[in-house]
Amino acid sequence: MTVRAATTSAEATRDLGAAVAGLARPGDVIVLAGDLGAGKTAFVQGFGRALGVTERIPSPHFTPVHVYEGRLPIPHLDVYRLDQMSEALDLGLAEMLDEGGVVLIEWGDAILPVLTQDLREVRLGFGDEDAERSLELGPVGTRWTARRTALSAALEPWPHGGTA
Ligand SMILES: Nc1ncnc2c1ncn2[C@@H]1O[C@H](COP(=O)(O)OP(=O)(O)OP(=O)(O)O)[C@@H](O)[C@H]1O
Ligand SMILES: [Mg+2]
């Protein structure tokens, strides 16, 4: 089930990321999709904050992976610059998951075929106003099935304006 939400500030997108982090489990993979400046990193910043990361979290454009140490390890990947799927495989995703991390992958929709089949995709889009963003959180696989009601409830503070 896809859960929709909308935010009207970067801080709201961070708060939404924090709310999703409250449901995260070791071994989860969250793919962040959406154009440059859509708010993928803002989501990760809130997500990390909720899990106790105090380090600043920038867009990792020039370092393909940086592991934040919160209550769980949080490997943060940006695969925007990886032009070959083989490079994505070299990032060691399986090991990161074995170590109990929650892996967040900006632009991960580009490498879905080499990722685990069980993940959550967060797709961010631009709204009509400058600071508006729409978010669609869709499941791939069954890993989030038991959490779908909790996820809808967690995102209630950021209702999507439309009827969808
Ligand atoms: N509702 C909103 N949610 C998130 N960011 C917002 C929102 N409104 C405005 N912004 C601004 O949009 C920008 C989002 O930047 P961010 O680095 O999170 O995007 P990104 O998707 O990670 O981009 P990139 O593809 O370059 O990594 C920030 O400058 C932020 O202040
Ligand atoms: Mg980013």
Side-chain angles (χ1 to χ4, degrees):
M1 184 187 65
T2 298
V3 180
R4 292 188 168 77
T7 62
T8 53
S9 69
E11 193 51 32
T13 297
R14 289 187 198 103
D15 289 344
L16 188 154
V20 175
L23 300 173
R25 294 183 191 154
D28 280 343
V29 176
I30 297 180
V31 158
L32 293 141
D35 285 339
L36 286 167
K40 301 179 294 294
T41 300
F43 180 98
V44 176
Q45 287 165 346
F47 193 100
R49 184 172 69 192
L51 291 175
V53 175
T54 52
E55 200 178 332
R56 202 177 71 84
I57 301 181
S59 254
H61 286 162
F62 301 101
T63 41
V65 57
H66 184 90
V67 183
Y68 294 93
E69 293 298 337
R71 283 195 288 283
L72 306 166
I74 307 172
H76 180 201
L77 285 66
D78 187 318
V79 297
Y80 183 61
R81 283 167 183 274
L82 299 182
D83 45 20
Q84 290 187 352
M85 290 211 187
S86 58
E87 284 188 58
L89 287 172
D90 289 345
L91 293 174
L93 183 67
E95 288 79 4
M96 293 176 204
L97 294 172
D98 282 349
E99 286 159 15
V102 178
V103 180
L104 297 166
I105 312 177
E106 297 197 32
W107 300 98
D109 52 324
I111 59 162
L112 279 184
V114 301
L115 294 177
T116 158
Q117 292 306 298
D118 245 339
L119 51 84
R120 171 104 0 207
E121 179 179 274
V122 178
R123 181 167 291 278
L124 292 112
F126 294 91
D128 295 336
E129 305 291 334
D130 273 357
E132 270 179 18
R133 301 289 189 274
S134 62
L135 295 101
E136 281 187 13
L137 290 84
V140 176
T142 55
R143 191 175 167 88
W144 283 76
T145 305
R147 287 178 275 179
R148 67 184 175 197
T149 309
L151 183 64
S152 297
L155 299 189
E156 269 170 16
W158 304 280
H160 189 259
T163 51

